[in-house]
Amino acid sequence: MKKIAVLTSGGDAPGMNAAIRAVVRYGIYAGMDVYGVERGYMGLIEGNIAPMTMRSVSDIIQRGGTMLKTARCPEFVTKEGQQKAIGKLKALGVEGLIVIGGDGSFMGAKALSEQGFPAIGIPGTIDNDLAYTDFTLGFDTACNTILDAINKIRDTMTSHDRVSIIEVMGRRCGDLALYAGLGGGAEVIVVPEHNLDIDRICERLQAAKSRGKLSGIVVLAEGAGHAHELADEILKRDASFSIRSSVLGHLQRGGSPSMKDRYLGTCFGVHAVKLLEKGVGNRIVGIKDNKVFDMDIVEGCAMKKEFNIELYNMASVVAR
Ligand code: ADP
Ligand code: F6P
């Protein structure tokens, strides 16, 4: 292929800019024309597609978010929308598209592939909810952002002998809560994949208190409940606790990408360009056992993520 395009779609994630930079610079190095699409699939349908240069991606590797902006685009879920998008790409002679996004965006890339337009997916979402790859772009940075918040909250909780409920992102996948909860030494981690009812949460907090813990941290994935409601429910069962609750929200999506996310973004971007350079489409790029790889997009998108119950149990034992 001699003409390719790249876009970012869905929730933004730190590391997306590193991937964009690698796609543009390696693509130009390989003798390709590289186009950038603004605002995801919406930009594709609207024809917001412009050539990129080596200088277009200067000074972005250290920045969170996405220089190409992103958007959600219901129209692209329709065949008509997809056909419009393919028409815009073909009008410019673009032969392949790199999509940086999460599971929804990959559904769009799969749709393009099924309509005969080669697409490569790069996993970009802080949720880490794509089963085929060990890690997605943004997950490591978001975990470190949450850890920074847990450390700050722990300072004041220990000063007041309080319990803090900290709500983190992750609608269907609890990896942010699990990994940041483990790293933050949370006494209780609540995720959508593992039902922990409120009575059990209370029992765990009471057991921690009986072991001499005068303060505690509960990390709650948004897909498993809401921090303020959980705090009220715990107090209804045991008014002896002093509880505060925090919802971290969209600060988890920002921040300068960690080394790991800059590394993954760069490797994923180069790998994606090399596939299109060989005329290979309809693949998704990932990392497995520290090795960057690619697999069929239909097969990869069909994989179901398994919850790491061993890690979950380890985290709760070592936080006692
Ligand atoms: P993420 O990629 O972060 O999961 P979304 O789920 O919002 O984000 O998906 C981003 C975009 O991908 C949607 O706005 C839509 O344009 C496109 N998309 C999502 N699902 C499909 C689908 N089944 N078919 C085609 N396009 C889709
Ligand atoms: O998919 C990533 C994510 O950050 C989720 O964890 C979160 O629930 C959602 O996006 C928020 O979406 P929006 O930015 O559209 O509010």
Side-chain angles (χ1 to χ4, degrees):
M1 289 182 191
K2 283 296 175 199
K3 284 193 178 185
I4 64 172
V6 58
L7 65 79
T8 47
S9 170
D12 66 305
M16 282 187 165
N17 280 326
I20 294 166
R21 174 178 175 273
V23 167
V24 172
R25 296 235 169 120
Y26 195 84
I28 292 171
Y29 164 80
M32 295 170 159
D33 291 338
V34 185
Y35 289 79
V37 183
E38 277 223 342
R39 294 189 174 78
Y41 292 122
M42 184 171 72
L44 208 46
I45 289 174
E46 293 173 353
N48 290 335
I49 309 169
M52 306 281 277
T53 69
M54 297 293 261
R55 299 285 62 82
S56 305
V57 290
S58 298
D59 200 29
I60 67 165
I61 191 168
Q62 76 282 7
R63 292 181 54 200
T66 161
M67 68 160 290
L68 289 176
K69 296 184 183 295
T70 178
R72 292 189 160 117
C73 178
E75 187 185 358
F76 191 77
V77 185
T78 67
K79 277 232 178 318
E80 297 70 31
Q82 294 152 20
Q83 281 301 326
K84 255 193 232 172
I86 292 172
K88 299 286 185 184
L89 290 166
K90 286 187 172 174
L92 290 166
V94 173
E95 304 156 278
L97 177 69
I98 294 171
V99 174
I100 306 170
D103 59 347
S105 303
F106 276 17
M107 290 298 109
K110 183 161 87 67
L112 288 174
S113 308
E114 286 161 353
Q115 298 206 37
F117 194 89
I120 304 288
I122 290 178
T125 170
I126 67 167
D127 288 5
N128 204 45
D129 58 350
L130 296 171
Y132 78 98
T133 179
D134 288 344
F135 297 107
T136 59
L137 282 184
F139 174 66
D140 183 65
T141 303
C143 282
N144 287 314
T145 299
I146 297 167
L147 277 184
D148 181 59
I150 291 175
N151 293 341
K152 288 180 165 75
I153 290 172
R154 189 181 284 283
D155 286 345
T156 177
M157 292 302 118
T158 50
S159 303
H160 288 266
D161 292 342
R162 281 175 174 159
V163 169
S164 180
I165 319 278
I166 302 172
E167 183 182 320
V168 301
M169 283 186 159
R171 279 176 289 203
R172 292 177 298 277
C173 174
D175 273 20
L176 281 169
L178 174 56
Y179 282 76
L182 180 142
E187 280 69 24
V188 184
I189 298 170
V190 190
V191 293
E193 300 94 334
H194 185 75
N195 181 38
L196 199 59
D197 65 30
I198 294 172
D199 292 328
R200 286 287 294 126
I201 294 171
C202 285
E203 284 164 18
R204 291 242 183 123
L205 291 171
Q206 287 155 349
K209 197 194 280 185
S210 65
R211 286 193 295 269
K213 286 203 162 191
L214 301 177
S215 62
I217 299 280
V218 177
V219 176
L220 167 70
E222 64 180 333
H226 302 290
H228 306 317
E229 288 168 18
L230 179 55
D232 292 343
E233 287 304 315
I234 292 171
L235 285 173
K236 280 179 194 167
R237 289 160 175 78
D238 186 339
S240 69
F241 283 116
S242 173
I243 297 188
R244 294 296 183 271
S245 52
S246 307
V247 178
L248 299 187
H250 281 68
L251 65 84
Q252 296 166 89
R253 286 255 289 273
S256 182
S258 63
M259 175 57 222
K260 180 168 182 179
D261 279 330
R262 299 184 197 196
Y263 164 78
L264 288 178
T266 301
C267 294
F268 288 168
V270 171
H271 193 100
V273 172
K274 286 182 175 176
L275 288 169
L276 292 180
E277 189 185 16
K278 291 182 291 189
V280 174
N282 314 338
R283 308 287 289 180
I284 44 180
V285 178
I287 188 159
K288 182 61 77 183
D289 305 327
N290 276 327
K291 192 165 171 10
V292 177
F293 79 109
D294 60 85
M295 71 181 294
D296 175 76
I297 193 164
V298 176
E299 194 188 329
C301 289
M303 289 174 69
K304 296 289 171 249
K305 190 164 172 88
E306 279 183 33
F307 182 62
N308 192 334
I309 191 67
E310 294 76 24
L311 194 64
Y312 181 84
N313 291 333
M314 183 201 307
S316 59
V317 166
V318 297
R320 285 171 185 245

